[in-house]
């Protein structure tokens, strides 16, 4: 590798596709790109990547990483993007991480955080694009996040800002809960009958006591006497209030319905 001898490798606008390939990396990593690169693409389609002693894919380039009906089995981290975009599609897609995390001792390179999907905003790296998860199964070791996103600066992690909708989860099954702000527009988190987590089509209409509900009626029923129910979206409902509480419309409306006091 020339870069290991003091040189610099640039392979901008390069593409790599694995289709119907089964591969095992016996070293510390499966697939890595270079953070200096622009508009690189890596695609796994109907393929399997096994990295029993390390991490699966580290993608710090601008461009796109696509996992399409493919499987990644790794020990310390599954797929990590620090720049560019990530697309995960296909019901047969699966990322399983059996170990981790590993303490980070240097500022550059992959962060082996134990997550199946890892999204990191890092100063000095190229900008993150869009992270879309539409299907698949994502498993992390107990105690680790299946999907983890965070800011990384000065060897310290902090809360990820998804205000711009960088992350959009519209499908998939996860061993840990999907944060609400990771959900695509029109989706909300849900817990499955088997204890796993995912997302479903829906909208939160009201909130009380720090808990959000899909209908105003549910929020009113849950609110204790004297508390505030705050609307989060327009709704079409007939609701009855039979206790003393505050209804904050919060700029929204109850269309085609009415509020009765009982």
């Amino acid at each position: 590798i020339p870069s290991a001898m003091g040189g610099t490798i640039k392979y901008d606008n390069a593409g790599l596709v694995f289709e119907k390939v089964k591969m095992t990396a016996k070293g510390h990593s499966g697939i890595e790109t270079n953070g200096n690169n622009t508009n690189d693409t890596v695609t796994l389609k109907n393929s399997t990547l096994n990295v029993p002693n390390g991490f699966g894919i580290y993608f710090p380039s601008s461009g796109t990483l696509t996992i399409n009906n493919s499987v990644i089995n790794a020990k310390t981290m599954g797929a990590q993007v620090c720049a560019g975009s990530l697309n995960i599609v296909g019901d047969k897609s699966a990322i399983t991480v059996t170990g981790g995390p590993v303490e980070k001792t240097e500022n550059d390179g992959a962060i082996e955080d134990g997550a199946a999907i890892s999204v990191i905003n890092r100063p000095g790296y190229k900008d993150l694009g869009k992270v879309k998860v539409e299907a698949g199964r994502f498993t992390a070791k107990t105690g680790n996040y299946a999907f983890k996103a965070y800011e990384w600066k000065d060897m310290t992690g902090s809360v990820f800002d998804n205000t711009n909708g960088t992350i959009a989860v519209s499908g998939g099954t996860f061993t840990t809960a999907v944060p609400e702000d990771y959900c695509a527009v029109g989706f909300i988190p849900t817990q499955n009958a088997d204890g796993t987590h995912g997302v479903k089509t829906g909208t939160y209409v009201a909130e009380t006591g720090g808990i959000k509900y899909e209908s105003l009626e549910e929020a009113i029923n849950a609110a204790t006497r004297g508390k505030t129910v705050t609307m989060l979206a327009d709704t079409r409902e007939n609701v009855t209030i039979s206790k003393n509480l505050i209804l904050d419309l919060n700029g929204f409306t109850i269309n085609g319905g009415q509020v009765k006091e009982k």
Side-chain angles (χ1 to χ4, degrees):
I1 304 175
S3 61
M5 296 180 279
T8 299
I9 296 179
K10 291 277 285 181
Y11 40 97
D12 296 336
N13 305 306
L16 177 63
V17 178
F18 293 95
E19 184 169 2
K20 296 181 181 178
V21 176
K22 183 175 181 180
M23 49 196 143
T24 297
K26 296 183 179 180
H28 191 66
S29 65
I31 299 171
E32 298 185 62
T33 61
N34 192 308
N36 293 318
N37 292 346
T38 301
N39 197 34
D40 289 343
T41 61
V42 174
T43 299
L44 272 66
K45 185 176 182 181
N46 299 316
S47 294
T48 298
L49 170 63
N50 297 311
V51 192
N53 300 310
F55 58 85
I57 301 178
Y58 172 55
F59 194 88
S61 314
S62 69
T64 303
L65 168 63
T66 299
I67 299 169
N68 182 352
N69 278 317
S70 292
V71 173
I72 299 174
N73 298 306
K75 183 178 181 180
T76 59
M77 174 268 286
Q80 183 172 98
V81 292
C82 301
S85 298
L86 170 65
N87 295 321
I88 302 180
V89 298
D91 291 337
K92 294 181 181 179
S93 288
I95 302 178
T96 301
V97 179
T98 58
V102 177
E103 182 181 0
K104 186 67 174 167
T105 58
E106 55 186 15
N107 198 46
D108 202 11
I111 301 174
E112 299 169 83
D113 53 21
I117 304 171
S118 182
V119 179
I120 311 173
N121 187 25
R122 301 173 76 166
Y125 283 60
K126 291 179 172 62
D127 293 338
L128 284 166
K130 294 293 184 180
V131 175
K132 298 179 181 180
V133 180
E134 299 180 2
R137 190 171 187 89
F138 309 98
T139 304
K141 180 183 176 182
T142 301
N144 294 340
Y145 290 101
F147 193 145
K148 186 173 184 178
Y150 50 100
E151 311 280 335
W152 181 263
K153 183 179 180 181
D154 299 327
M155 306 290 287
T156 302
S158 60
V159 176
F160 186 87
D161 182 2
N162 199 38
T163 303
N164 295 327
T166 298
I167 299 171
V169 179
S170 58
T173 301
F174 304 79
T175 51
T176 56
V178 178
E180 179 190 343
D181 64 341
Y182 292 4
C183 296
V185 175
F187 291 84
I188 58 176
T190 187
Q191 183 167 358
N192 304 317
D194 62 359
T196 60
H197 300 265
V199 299
K200 65 178 182 179
T201 303
T203 301
Y204 288 123
V205 171
E207 177 270 334
T208 185
I211 300 175
K212 297 179 179 180
Y213 297 88
E214 294 179 68
S215 73
L216 178 57
E217 183 179 14
E218 287 178 306
I220 289 173
N221 291 339
T224 55
R225 186 175 300 275
K227 297 299 182 179
T228 299
V229 174
T230 304
M231 288 185 60
L232 304 174
D234 296 333
T235 186
R236 289 181 176 273
E237 295 180 62
N238 289 313
V239 296
T240 300
I241 299 177
S242 58
K243 51 193 166 186
N244 181 23
L245 53 77
I246 299 169
L247 177 59
D248 181 359
L249 296 180
N250 195 28
F252 297 102
T253 59
I254 304 173
N255 295 316
Q258 56 184 331
V259 177
K260 295 181 179 180
E261 292 187 7
K262 183 177 180 181

